[in-house]
Structures are given as C-alpha cells and as structure tokens.
Amino acid sequence: MAHDERRRPVWVGVATFAVLIVAWFALTTWTSTIGPGRFPSPREAFDALRQIWVQGYADARLPVHALHSAKLVLLGFVAAVGLGVPLGLAMGWSRTCEAFANPTFLLLRPIPPLAWIPLAIVWLGLGDAAKVLVIWFAAFVPAVINSYSGVRSIEPHLVEAARTLGVSRRRMVTEVLIPGALPMIFGGLRLSLQACWTTLVAAELIGAIAGLGHVLYQASLDLFPAMIVVGMVAVAVTAALMTIALDIVERRAMPWRRA
Amino acid sequence: MKRHHWTFAAGIALALASAGALAQTVIKISYQPALYWSLPFYVANEKGWYAELGLKPEFSTFPAGVPQIAASASKSWDVGGAGSVPAVLGAVRYNLLTIGITNDESYANALLATGKTAAGFVKNPASIKGQTIVLTANSTGDYAVQSCLAKWGLKKADVTFKSMGQAEVISAMSSGNADLGGLWAPNTYTLEEKAGAKQICSGQDAGAAVPGALMVRADYAKSDPQNVARFLAVYLRSWKWLNAHKTEAIAMMKKFYAQGGVTISDAAMRKEFDTRPTFDLAQQLKIMHRPGANGASEVDGWFANIGAFMKANGTFADAPMPSKFITDEFLQMVDRDPKLKAFANRAD
Amino acid sequence: MAQGLTLRDPTAPLPFARWLALTVAGFLAFFAVWWAAAASGLAPPQFLPSPGAVAAQFVELTHTPFVGYTLQQHLASSFGRFALGFGLAAAIGIPLGLMMGWFRALDAIVTPLFDALRFVAPIAWVPFAALWFGTGIGGPVMVIFSGAFPPCVINAYRGARFVEPRFIEAAETLGASNWRMITEVLLPSAVPSIVAGLRVSAGLGWQSLVGAELIVASSGIGYLLVRGQANISTSIVMSGMIAIGLVGFAIDIALRLVERRINRQRGR
C-alpha cells in the first residue's frame, strides 16, 4: 500500500495559496465583506510593506527591525543552549546531579517566560539585557529537557561496552554521550528556537527602539491592521529562516544521519 | 464567518436579559479601571442611577485606551470614556463619535523625572536634550510630554522615546532604569509617592488642553439615540453628586482605585478633584457650542491640536476634522428633555 | 540494567535516602541563594523581596482581594479562558489531524497553510485578537487557541500516519467506511500520540494566556501581574508568578497521569 510513502504534490499547496489570495481579494477589495479596520486588503498590506521597506516604520526600516530581533533571539538562544545543554547532559548522566538540580528546575520551569518581564525590567533595565533574559528563560527549558532525555535514551549496552573498554571520561563524553544524545538535543534546540521567537514579540514590548515585536506593538497602538499583517509575516519568515539554518547545522553535525 | 455566531449568541443573550429584567435595556459601557474620570461609572452603578433611567449597564474595562478602541470594532461596547488621543484614533479608524467631555485632565498628564534628576532638569530644561523618555505612545501622556518639549524649544528628534505600557514605565522609572517618563494620574501619584519621582511639567504647564472624551459607536448612536442621552444624563449626575459630597466621594474613590490595584494617599485623591475640572450640562453645552455654521467650538480647538499631534507622530496621514466626529447632539437631547435635564443636574 | 557492573556508575539509581537528601539540599540551595541575594542588598527589597516576604504576600492575596479579586478568583478567571481556548484547540485540532492523516487531499491542502502559520508566535495574534473578538473573553481565547492548536494537529496527524499498515489493511478488507476507519482504527491507535500532544498543547496554551493577559485583559492572573507592577509591588508580581507556575505544573501533572493511565491500559 502506498499509504505510508505518499508525497504531497507541490501544486496542491501552490493552488491552496492561490485560492486563498483570490479569496482575500474577494472578501476585502471586491466585496468589502471584511471592513478595512478589521483586516487589510492586499493593496493596503502591500502599501504597508512598501512604507516600512522604503521610509521605515516605528523608527527603522524592516531589515533593521528583523536583524535586531534576530540578534536578540540568537543571543538568548546561544546563552540558553550554552548553559542548558551541559546541564541537561550532566543531569542525564549523573543521578546525583539530577537529584540536586531538579528542585530548582522544577520550581522555575512552569513559570512562563513572559511572566519574567516585570522582573526583568526592574533587574536589568530597558536595554537588550532584559530582553535576552526573557528569551533565555524560554529557550533554556527545552534545551535542558531534551539533552537530559537524550542521554537517558542512549542504549545502556553502548555505555557498558565503552566502559568495559576502559574509555576515559573525556572520550566517554565526547564520543558516546554527545553523539548519542545529539538527535534529541537537536529536537530540543528546534523547540528552543521556536520558543525564542514566541517570546521575542513580548520581550520587545520592553521599550524596544527596533525589532519586529516593536513593529507589532507600534502597529497595534496605531490600530494599523495592514502593518500588523506585515509584522506577523515578517516574524514568521524570519523564524522560518532561522529554523532552516538550524536544520543545516543539524545535518552538518550528524553526517551519519543523512540517509 | 464566526461573527454571525457571535452576534447570534449576543442576540439571544440580549433577548433573555431584556425579558428577565423588566423593560431595562442593556447598554455596554467601557472604561479603564482606577481612573478619575471612570469614577462616575462606578458611583452611578453603586447608587442605582442607571436603573432609574431604565438602563442595565454591562461594564467592560481595558488597561489602556487603544485596546479599548480596538474592541469597539468587535462591538464589545456601545458607549464609554477614554483619553482624547484614543478618541481621535477611534474616530479615524472606527467611526467613534465624541459626545461629551469627561474632564479636563491637562494637569494629570505629565512628564515626570526621578527624584535625583528632577531638580537638574527643572533648572535647565535644555539638559533634557539627548535623554531617553519612556512613555505610552499614542496616549494623552505622550501628548503632554511632547507639548512640554515644545515649550522648552526641544523637538521630538532631540530625545529618544521608548514606548511601553504604563506599568512598564513605572517599573523602569522606580528601578532607576529611566530618568524621564510620560504618565497620567493616578500613575503619576504612585510614582511620586512610592518612588520619589517628581512631576516636572504637565500638559497644563505647557499650555496644552488635554480633555477626556465620552464616546459612542456611530451605529449605536443611530439605532439607540435615547439610550445614549440617558447614559450622558447618568454620567453628568454622578459628577454633580461627587463634587457635592467630597468626603463620601473620596471614600468611594479609594474603594474604586483599590479595585484597580492603585493605592495612593487621600491627599493625592483630593488633588485629583482639585486639579481636574469637570463639566456639568450647561458647561458641556457651552464648550461644545459652535458659533455660526462653520464656527469651531472650544472643544473643536482642543481636538484639532490633538489631531495635528497625532499626524505629526505618523499615526495617520490626515487628521480628522473635529466637526466630523464631535457632536453635542446627545447633550442637546438631554437638555431638551425636562426629565433628563433635571436628572442630570441633581446633586443628591 | 547496568546496575551490577560497577559501583561507580553514575547512571545507577540512587538509594532513596541519598536521593531525598540531595533533593532537599537542592530546594534549600535555591531558597538560600534567593534569600542571600535579597539580604545582601544587591537589589533593594522593593525589587527583590525575600522568600518570606513573598510567601506572606502570597497568603495575603488568597484572602484579601487585589484589583477586585482574590488570587483564587483571578486564577479561576484565567483558567476559564484557558479551558475554553484549550478545549477548542483540542476539539478542532484532533479531528483535523486525524482527517489529514487519512485524506490525502486534505493533507495536501492544509499542511502548507499550517506550516506557514506555525511560525507566527501566538502573542503576535494579540493585536488582531483584540480587533476581532475584543479583550473580554474572545480575544484571550483566540490567543490561547493559536498557541495550543498546532501540537494537537501535529500529534493527531502523526498518530494517524503511523498506524500499523496491517490494521488498515484488515479494516479495508472488511470494507470499513472512511468514518469507521477514522474513528475505529486511526483514533484508537493515535491515542498515545494525541495525549502527548495535548500535554505540549496545554503548556503552550497556558503560556500564551499569560502573555495575552499581560497585554490586554482586565482580570485574570496576567492582569494581576501588570497591576502589581504598576503599584510598584514586586512581591505581588512574584506571588502571581508562583501561582502561574503552580497551575501550569498542576495541569502538566494531571495530563501526565492521564497519559500514564492510558499507556498502562494499552500496554496490556
């Protein structure tokens, strides 16, 4: 049965988008079923895009906003991965470490990153540091959990075999632990990255001067639906690009999985 | 698509509600919690004045003017009060009409500085150049701040604005992460009393009139003009009463502010009354009166300035004509109806 | 089990007493660091209250109303919105995912759309949510929905796609209709995957709720946070954070129990 290896024909996807765009025109421009104050027409959305691309909106042009956001996400993400993955690996490897670190983790984990915003402002001010802290909280949890489960999912006899061969501690980590946990780690990184973007928009409510979240915030203060759409699309595209970049890194890091 | 369900459900709810409560019509009223001009809504409900005129209020509250205006698009409310800046935005985007003035809040919208920097800025306003000011964009606070800058001969480009909600402004200033901020009362008092900040310039100081607006959705005004007039009568009566019974008024204000999470001193509450003039029916009609066919009223002048400010901010390309969205039609209705007029002027 | 192999195997389960001691030490260490940071004057108590001050505030909030309601009432109002948004996401997402797993055409149509929308952060919907549904109940519910919906769809879809082919073949030879195929073959085999998805979905939904309430709401736990912030009361903010954490934790535990129970039943 072909049920399992079916492929989605590309043309259906293209057709879906075409139908949707036609419907968009039909509902807004041609029949104005949806009023301009509720959802923009394609024309308005295009004008808004041109405005932010050429003259700029919310104090900067679109690429500047996107780069600023990407920078914040990257900073928060790298900081979270840099701390989260080693912690997750350590907790996965050593029960002692797990038992000791788990309580803190349990206490902090369920608090949504956005709830840190008020504290981030009073602790770190209005600069990038506060935003990076909030983003860090978002990315940290998935990084730890997945690295932890990654280690736990390594086949025990692999570890045993390495041990009986008298492998050194360092080689155990670099040649057994990390490669074994890598697939799960990358799964976690993907979630982390997504969480970073989700949080970014809210983080940029903290007195940003640039950034896609700032564009969205400003557009919502101006009640400017066309610019809100542009902002949302920009967030989605930038996030998708970063995910693709992560995919490429993943493939490079695990050449053996290419098949 | 989904809208039909909503309106349908709302229709059923409305039908049930009106069947249940003897000939009382539901009116959906919006305001912002813990604000001076919101107090009459609360007081009138406590006193049962809406019911006296056959209205059954359903309140919805919003943390700021802009989401409130946005929610009018989904018909979340029929009438309400907000700052004049959101009111102009609502006029441009969603045909909201301004039908009365809640209060003159020129003094209550202000630029504040942290305790240690205030004296320096007051002595030498030019030193504000190059500073960062935290404020809520598109708000009356924003308007007051920019008016103050203009008074000192500074331009918007001379400073850096960072836009955020009032709660964030308070956090940023109280923790010393920002020295200058645009706020409105009672947030100004919170910051003065709990973080030692100082008000260094208000809209009043800068010669900018900052009114608060009573608004109605245009289609509601068309379908239920009577209810709009009754709503105004209740609001006017509340101010009459509040101004005539200061001690009780302060006590109710305290309760009302606490419900919004604001705890400021009695002195600050008294100051609210002392610095923010309100208008009774006759005064409202006077400031909204347009002399001649093309004449502009005093209120028209205030709103024209606000429109110009918002245009300069880039909020919209063309400021709306005040005569297009400000109307005293419903105040006139109250004035013409002896019963409503008497009701609006009662101070007991 | 690698237990008998070597005494120094760090992956071996710890004796209970040792585990307990370490866990308690972990808790103590957390609060000790917090307390020390507060007591050292690193940050003024206004911005970093001690654990004791926060605990006292938390207790006070449960019986003295703040911004009109007690802590429980705020939580109840938030939870109501959450339940509605999450329920809606599950009610629409799971059937959609299953059907996508069965009908090729639907899969081909929906998947690209879905992939495009997935990258839009739930919070980014806030401006439109306010515009379309207001900020009372509709707006926040829409934001929660946009956070909780994707995992419901994805996991139902995956569950349906990885049903053992022999089950499908068997059902096909018995001449099962599309409806019966989905409800009696796909759905039961997809249950573990769906429940796992619901857990993720509930977590994201609860987080989105807090975000929505921080920005536009006039009641609920996120609103409590904002008003606490506006009143320069960090201990209220922290109490709110703890309450949010506790409820999030409770939701996760509840769904974990459901998951375990289902897996156990199916294990037999």
Side-chain angles (χ1 to χ4, degrees):
Chain A
M1 237 186 28
H3 186 76
D4 259 344
E5 64 262 29
R6 63 176 165 179
R7 277 187 145 158
R8 288 182 213 104
V10 176
W11 66 268
V12 181
V14 175
T16 312
F17 277 105
V19 168
L20 219 71
I21 287 171
V22 172
W24 185 13
F25 268 105
L27 286 172
T28 54
T29 314
W30 299 334
T31 63
S32 49
T33 314
I34 301 175
R38 302 174 136 252
F39 200 80
S41 67
R43 164 104 229 162
E44 288 168 323
F46 180 74
D47 284 346
L49 177 64
R50 211 175 46 191
Q51 184 190 340
I52 196 173
W53 193 270
V54 180
Q55 300 153 256
Y57 177 78
D59 309 320
R61 292 171 56 238
L62 186 60
V64 178
H65 287 301
L67 278 178
H68 187 82
S69 291
K71 189 185 91 185
L72 287 184
V73 164
L74 219 58
L75 277 174
F77 179 69
V78 169
V81 170
L83 276 164
V85 171
L87 179 65
L89 290 176
M91 281 170 73
W93 177 245
S94 148
R95 299 266 180 183
T96 308
C97 184
E98 183 198 354
F100 185 71
N102 214 20
T104 303
F105 196 65
L106 268 180
L107 287 168
L108 295 182
R109 195 182 110 173
I111 297 174
L114 303 184
W116 289 97
I117 290 179
L119 290 185
I121 295 177
V122 293
W123 290 347
L124 295 173
L126 300 167
D128 287 348
K131 288 162 223 161
V132 170
L133 176 73
V134 174
I135 293 172
W136 181 84
F137 271 113
F140 184 63
V141 169
V144 175
I145 294 183
N146 279 273
S147 314
Y148 168 85
S149 351
V151 175
R152 284 289 152 90
S153 69
I154 297 173
E155 300 253 347
H157 44 256
L158 221 73
V159 180
E160 269 170 62
R163 210 186 290 274
T164 42
L165 289 172
V167 168
S168 75
R169 174 172 288 206
R170 204 178 62 104
R171 287 187 60 198
M172 183 70 112
V173 172
T174 55
E175 287 173 28
V176 180
L177 236 55
I178 292 182
L182 218 45
M184 291 280 291
I185 291 178
F186 269 103
L189 295 191
R190 205 182 291 248
L191 288 175
S192 285
L193 195 59
Q194 199 135 25
C196 284
W197 277 101
T198 304
T199 312
L200 167 87
V201 178
E204 281 180 344
L205 294 182
I206 313 173
I209 337 189
L212 296 173
H214 180 57
V215 171
L216 275 169
Y217 180 61
Q218 188 63 45
S220 67
L221 281 185
D222 284 346
L223 292 177
F224 191 172
M227 196 59 84
I228 299 175
V229 167
V230 170
M232 286 174 75
V233 172
V235 170
V237 169
T238 321
L241 286 178
M242 283 186 94
T243 309
I244 292 172
L246 185 66
D247 279 347
I248 293 172
V249 173
E250 178 175 2
R251 231 168 294 156
R252 285 271 163 82
M254 295 187 291
W256 63 90
R257 285 193 111 216
R258 194 168 286 169
Chain B
M1 292 169 279
K2 223 155 209 172
R3 245 186 75 197
H4 288 295
H5 294 281
W6 284 106
T7 35
F8 184 62
I12 290 183
L14 208 96
L16 288 176
S18 51
L22 301 143
Q24 295 227 319
T25 47
V26 169
I27 185 164
K28 290 186 280 181
I29 301 175
S30 72
Y31 64 90
Q32 295 158 37
L35 287 184
Y36 176 65
W37 56 254
S38 303
L39 184 59
F41 296 124
Y42 169 74
V43 170
N45 197 40
E46 294 284 296
K47 299 272 179 192
W49 291 334
Y50 290 107
E52 276 185 38
L53 291 184
L55 294 175
K56 189 173 184 299
E58 272 176 13
F59 295 107
S60 48
T61 58
F62 296 85
V66 175
Q68 183 182 358
I69 300 299
S72 79
S74 59
K75 301 199 172 157
S76 297
W77 52 269
D78 304 319
V79 291
S84 41
V85 175
V88 173
L89 189 62
V92 172
R93 301 275 195 254
Y94 302 116
N95 285 327
L96 296 180
L97 302 175
T98 293
I99 52 171
I101 300 300
T102 54
N103 74 121
D104 173 356
E105 52 189 40
S106 310
Y107 180 79
N109 286 277
L111 177 64
L112 278 80
T114 46
K116 57 180 196 302
T117 61
F121 287 135
V122 170
K123 198 180 286 172
N124 179 18
S127 64
I128 289 172
K129 191 167 180 167
Q131 295 287 327
T132 295
I133 303 179
V134 292
L135 46 68
T136 309
N138 266 352
S139 70
T140 48
D142 187 1
Y143 180 50
V145 168
Q146 294 203 32
S147 304
C148 286
L149 292 181
K151 186 187 100 172
W152 293 322
L154 294 168
K155 286 190 292 292
K156 197 183 171 188
D158 291 335
V159 294
T160 307
F161 281 142
K162 286 193 172 187
S163 175
M164 59 193 79
Q166 290 281 294
E168 279 89 26
V169 172
I170 293 174
S171 281
M173 287 188 70
S174 63
S175 58
N177 285 302
D179 283 331
L180 291 158
L183 294 110
W184 54 81
N187 302 325
T188 49
Y189 299 113
T190 303
L191 209 50
E192 282 184 338
E193 292 180 349
K194 299 195 174 164
K198 296 233 158 46
Q199 182 157 328
I200 59 171
C201 172
S202 70
Q204 196 176 44
D205 300 332
V210 190
L214 288 168
M215 307 168 301
V216 62
R217 284 191 297 112
D219 44 346
Y220 187 79
K222 200 166 268 172
S223 64
D224 299 84
Q226 271 304 329
N227 287 353
V228 180
R230 282 186 256 174
F231 160 76
L232 283 177
V234 173
Y235 190 78
L236 293 169
R237 178 178 176 178
S238 304
W239 272 136
K240 276 278 181 201
W241 183 86
L242 282 162
N243 288 322
H245 303 80
K246 280 284 159 62
T247 321
E248 276 176 85
I250 300 277
M252 289 190 94
M253 190 176 201
K254 194 170 217 163
K255 225 161 136 193
F256 179 63
Y257 276 20
Q259 277 188 11
V262 175
T263 48
I264 54 172
S265 69
D266 285 14
M269 292 192 196
R270 218 163 273 282
K271 204 167 168 191
E272 287 267 68
F273 275 97
D274 294 342
T275 56
R276 304 176 74 163
T278 58
F279 306 91
D280 66 13
L281 180 60
Q283 290 163 329
Q284 295 260 2
L285 285 166
K286 187 166 157 261
I287 55 172
M288 291 182 81
H289 176 69
R290 296 195 174 104
N294 293 317
S297 67
E298 201 175 345
V299 170
D300 287 347
W302 300 344
F303 278 84
N305 287 339
I306 289 164
F309 148 78
M310 294 174 76
K311 186 184 167 183
N313 261 1
T315 308
F316 35 62
D318 287 300
M321 289 279 293
S323 59
K324 287 270 191 306
F325 67 95
I326 302 173
T327 171
D328 63 354
E329 186 189 335
F330 301 96
L331 287 165
Q332 297 282 7
M333 277 173 73
V334 176
D335 198 46
R336 280 197 301 270
D337 183 332
K339 204 184 115 216
L340 280 186
K341 187 173 179 177
F343 187 90
N345 283 320
R346 273 172 74 168
D348 60 315
Chain C
M1 276 276 155
Q3 209 169 3
L5 197 72
T6 153
L7 279 172
R8 290 176 51 219
D9 179 1
T11 53
L14 297 171
F16 179 74
R18 195 172 148 71
W19 173 85
L20 189 70
L22 280 165
T23 302
V24 170
F27 270 109
L28 288 179
F30 175 81
F31 286 105
V33 169
W34 177 1
W35 183 84
S40 70
L42 205 69
Q46 213 175 340
F47 305 123
L48 184 62
S50 69
V54 173
Q57 180 67 260
F58 189 92
V59 173
E60 199 192 317
L61 281 174
T62 57
H63 55 81
T64 343
F66 179 70
V67 286
Y69 304 100
T70 60
L71 187 63
Q72 303 90 299
Q73 288 165 325
H74 280 294
L75 280 174
S77 134
S78 292
F79 192 80
R81 290 182 187 142
F82 164 77
L84 207 58
F86 176 59
L88 221 56
I92 299 175
I94 295 171
L96 180 67
L98 288 176
M99 288 202 291
M100 280 165 64
W102 183 244
F103 298 111
R104 263 169 192 245
L106 192 70
D107 185 9
I109 292 171
V110 176
T111 304
L113 284 181
F114 190 74
D115 280 343
L117 281 177
R118 210 157 44 102
F119 284 108
V120 180
I123 302 300
W125 288 103
V126 168
F128 273 126
L131 223 54
W132 294 340
F133 300 112
T135 55
I137 182 122
V141 165
M142 177 183 156
V143 176
I144 297 159
F145 178 85
S146 60
F149 187 62
C152 287
V153 177
I154 295 175
N155 278 47
Y157 172 75
R158 277 198 199 142
R161 293 279 281 110
F162 296 113
V163 172
E164 289 204 31
R166 61 196 167 94
F167 289 157
I168 294 175
E169 272 168 52
E172 262 171 354
T173 47
L174 291 172
S177 66
N178 280 334
W179 169 249
R180 293 191 61 189
M181 186 68 92
I182 290 175
T183 53
E184 288 171 29
V185 181
L186 261 48
L187 177 62
S189 349
V191 162
S193 170
I194 289 175
V195 177
L198 283 179
R199 245 184 75 201
V200 178
S201 154
L204 289 175
W206 183 244
Q207 297 198 358
S208 312
L209 165 89
V210 174
E213 284 185 344
L214 279 177
I215 303 166
V216 282
S218 43
S219 69
I221 192 74
Y223 182 66
L224 176 116
L225 237 60
V226 174
R227 299 310 295 198
Q229 186 189 5
N231 205 25
I232 320 188
S233 172
T234 308
S235 56
I236 289 184
V237 172
M238 290 179 109
S239 302
M241 288 171 67
I242 292 170
I244 291 168
L246 286 177
V247 173
F249 190 59
I251 293 172
D252 193 56
I253 295 275
L255 283 168
R256 217 181 268 240
L257 287 178
V258 172
E259 189 176 16
R260 193 173 302 168
R261 172 161 221 174
I262 286 174
N263 285 344
R264 197 175 300 149
Q265 272 175 358
R266 300 170 64 86
R268 286 181 192 149

